[in-house]
Structure formats: C-alpha cells, structure tokens
Amino acid sequence: MHVPDGFIDAPVSVAAGVAAAGAVAISLRGARRELAGHSGSAGSAAERAAPLAGLVAAFIFAVQMLNFPVAAGTSGHLLGGALAAILVGPYTGVLCVSVVLLMQGVLFADGGLTALGVNIMNMAVVTVVVAYAVFRVLVRVLPRTRRSVTVAAFTGALLSVPGAAVMFTLLYALGGTTDVPLGKVFTAMVGVHVLIGVGEAAITAATVGAVLAVRPDLVYGARGLSTPLKLRVGGELVDAPAAATPAAGRRSTKPVWITGLVTALVLAGFVSYYASASPDGLEKVAADKGIDRKVERHAAANSPLADYSVKDVTDTRLSGGLAGVIGVGATVVVGTGIFWTVRRRRAEDLTATSTTAPTGSAAN
C-alpha cells in the first residue's frame, strides 16, 4: 500500500499532503490527552506512555517487513492503523503509523516522498478512523469481556484495509497519472486488499489478545471493561473498597517494553528474511493494470538503507537483518522522542492551568 512517486499527480499529492498535515496536527492535540491519561494516571504511569507508544510504532515497522502470501503471486503486510489505535488510542495511533511511514520513506526509500501525504491518508488516517469506529461500535454492543475486545479488534482491522484501498482509488480517480478505467482499479484494489485484511485482522487480534492477557490496563481500547474486585461479606459479594483494588497503573511497564522491543528486533532482524518476496497488493495491481507506467525514481534511492538492505554488505541475510534492526531502533527512538514531547507539552499545559486557576478565581 506504499504509494511511490508518480502514481498520483502533483496537485492531488499536494492536497493530500495538506490534508495529512491537518490530520497530524489534530492528532497531536488529541494525543496529548491520550498520553497524559494513559493507564488512568497523570503521574508515573503517564510518563511511561511515550515509550510504550514509541514501541508500538517500532513494532508496526517490524511487522510491516513480514510480507505474507495472499494469492496469485501477491503478498500483503500489516498496515497497523487498527493495532495502534486499539493499543494506544486513535490520535496517538495516527501518529504511530505516520512516524513509521516517515522513517520508511526517508531511510529505506519505501513510499514516495512527494506521496507521503497520500500514504499518511491511506495507511494512517483512514485505517485508524475505520478500524476504531468499528471497534467502538462492537465493544458497545458485545458483552463487556476481553474476548469481545479481541473480536472487535479483528473486525475493525479486517475492514480497515479495504477502506485504505478505497481511499487510494478515490485519490487515483482525482489525480491518477495513467489512463486506467476506474472500475478496474477499484475492483482489483478492493478485491486483493480484502484478502490482505484477513492477515491484518489475525495479526491485530493476536497482538491485542496477547497484551490483554498480561497487561489489560495497557490496552487503550479495553479501558472501562475491567470487572471490579469483589469481596465476600456476610455471604454476599460486594465491590471492594478502592484501597483494596490493585493499582495497575503503578505496575512497571518495563517487562512489557523489553519483551516488545526484543520481539520487534527479532522479527525485523531475523524473521523478515523469510517473508514473501511477491509484490504486495498495490504493486501487483499497479503492474497488472498499468498504473505504474509513470512511476518516478525515489529521491532516496541511493540511501545506504534503500530497499531494506545495508549498502556494501554483500550477505543478503545479514544486510536485510541489519537494516531491519536499524529501522526498529530508529523508529523507537524517533517515536518515543515525539510522544514524550507531546506528553510533556500536555503536562505543562495542565500545570499552567492549575497554577493560574486560583488566581483567576480570587480575582473574581
């Protein structure tokens, strides 16, 4: 789904870039609240939210390197919008996927630089909006259980991928640089991405389910679904006092963070070597339908990490593994830095508000 330079003309690419910039700006404001309120605490737990969000971005980067076969010589890979939105919140989720796309475009020549706005709209904004909307509807109507969260995550992720394909088709209709009938583009894109959506859904549900099993308090989409601690008093079950309920926000997130980072490094540095070499859904459709006739050379094609390989390292496995490890490391550092800055800005705003409020009330 990474759109290269040349598929969409300049005016539409610019318009998509403006829309993407607006979506990122809105997400920055929303992410301040999500990160500051992580784990239900404005204290130390909130301070750990930035590293966790950075980890989610790095994990998405790693899993996107694992193309899985779909059908007829086509592969697919995780888009990640659904996973990020459910784990860390929709606004932070948009930022997570946007960070991944930025790193991929600048360092690895994956996804055009002039098409960055197009890719953010397709892979970050649309996937998050579709997935999280479906997810919220389902968790409201299904029983309030962890299994329901996993089912809702699966369904939201499943629908988010063809949603992204529809968005690409719309942008192609507005600014496609080749003359391919729109009906053929729509049918081919949606058809193959429905299949890819099954893989997206399976990965998302498995990951969300794994985190729910060990630390449900860290899953943004599962907030409010926990059952209060019960005590038996006089033969009857009653809600435990707040002081008797374990404070999940005080538990260390370090084991989760370390496990997640090691998993991402292993996936990107080792497992990625065994990923499918077949073209992904967009590449396959573009080649079959002629959408790629005017594709342009990537501005970062000579990057030392272009095409997920380290320049001058001749061993293919080592080259790809090193590139994957570097990508995970760079993404977690950049992502954590961005999310820490966003969370800190929110904390400063809250501090300023609490400091000025008494003065204002006294003046009245």
Side-chain angles (χ1 to χ4, degrees), residues 108-208:
F108 300 94
D110 188 12
L113 295 182
T114 62
L116 182 59
V118 171
N119 285 320
I120 289 176
M121 293 302 299
N122 285 345
M123 297 177 64
V125 177
V126 171
T127 57
V128 165
V129 170
V130 172
Y132 201 70
V134 172
F135 174 82
R136 293 309 306 172
V137 169
L138 290 179
V139 295
R140 288 179 180 274
V141 300
L142 293 174
R144 298 171 67 83
T145 64
R146 295 180 186 178
R147 179 173 296 181
S148 296
V149 174
T150 305
V151 170
F154 182 96
T155 308
L158 175 65
L159 296 177
S160 69
V161 180
V166 171
M167 183 63 178
F168 170 80
T169 305
L170 174 61
L171 293 174
Y172 180 81
L174 296 173
T177 57
T178 54
D179 187 18
V180 179
L182 189 60
K184 291 185 177 180
V185 176
F186 176 84
T187 302
M189 284 293 293
V190 174
V192 71
H193 284 90
V194 166
L195 298 177
I196 295 172
V198 176
E200 176 99 11
I203 295 170
T204 300
T207 305
V208 170

Side-chain angles (χ1 to χ4, degrees), residues 28-29 32-33 36 341-357:
L28 285 169
R29 294 181 62 86
R32 292 179 189 174
R33 297 189 298 272
T341 302
V342 170
R343 197 210 66 81
R344 184 177 177 84
R345 178 68 179 274
R346 173 65 173 178
E348 290 174 349
D349 291 344
L350 291 174
T351 301
T353 300
S354 62
T355 302
T356 58

Side-chain angles (χ1 to χ4, degrees), residues 64-82:
Q64 283 196 4
M65 294 182 67
L66 308 181
N67 280 49
F68 49 85
V70 178
T74 307
S75 71
H77 63 72
L78 182 81
L79 299 187

Side-chain angles (χ1 to χ4, degrees), residues 107-334:
L107 295 180
F108 300 94
D110 188 12
L113 295 182
T114 62
L116 182 59
V118 171
N119 285 320
I120 289 176
M121 293 302 299
N122 285 345
M123 297 177 64
V125 177
V126 171
T127 57
V128 165
V129 170
V130 172
Y132 201 70
V134 172
F135 174 82
R136 293 309 306 172
V137 169
L138 290 179
V139 295
R140 288 179 180 274
V141 300
L142 293 174
R144 298 171 67 83
T145 64
R146 295 180 186 178
R147 179 173 296 181
S148 296
V149 174
T150 305
V151 170
F154 182 96
T155 308
L158 175 65
L159 296 177
S160 69
V161 180
V166 171
M167 183 63 178
F168 170 80
T169 305
L170 174 61
L171 293 174
Y172 180 81
L174 296 173
T177 57
T178 54
D179 187 18
V180 179
L182 189 60
K184 291 185 177 180
V185 176
F186 176 84
T187 302
M189 284 293 293
V190 174
V192 71
H193 284 90
V194 166
L195 298 177
I196 295 172
V198 176
E200 176 99 11
I203 295 170
T204 300
T207 305
V208 170
V211 180
L212 279 173
V214 295
R215 288 294 300 271
D217 58 295
L218 297 181
V219 179
Y220 182 92
R223 292 180 181 179
L225 296 180
S226 59
T227 303
L229 180 65
K230 297 286 186 178
L231 295 178
R232 187 173 295 278
V233 178
E236 296 183 359
L237 289 177
V238 298
D239 289 344
T245 304
R250 297 175 185 171
R251 296 169 58 188
S252 173
T253 58
K254 186 178 293 185
V256 175
W257 193 89
I258 293 175
T259 301
L261 181 60
V262 170
T263 301
L265 290 171
V266 170
L267 292 176
F270 177 73
V271 180
S272 62
Y273 179 77
Y274 301 97
S276 173
S278 299
D280 67 23
L282 176 59
E283 291 172 334
K284 180 67 173 176
V285 171
D288 289 348
K289 304 301 180 183
I291 296 174
D292 60 355
R293 287 197 298 267
K294 294 186 178 181
V295 65
E296 299 174 3
R297 178 178 170 82
H298 199 287
N302 294 323
S303 164
L305 298 173
D307 296 324
Y308 298 94
S309 60
V310 178
K311 189 176 182 180
D312 298 329
V313 176
T314 56
D315 184 277
T316 303
R317 178 176 296 185
L318 179 60
S319 179
L322 286 174
V325 168
I326 293 170
V328 168
T331 303
V332 77
V333 169
V334 172

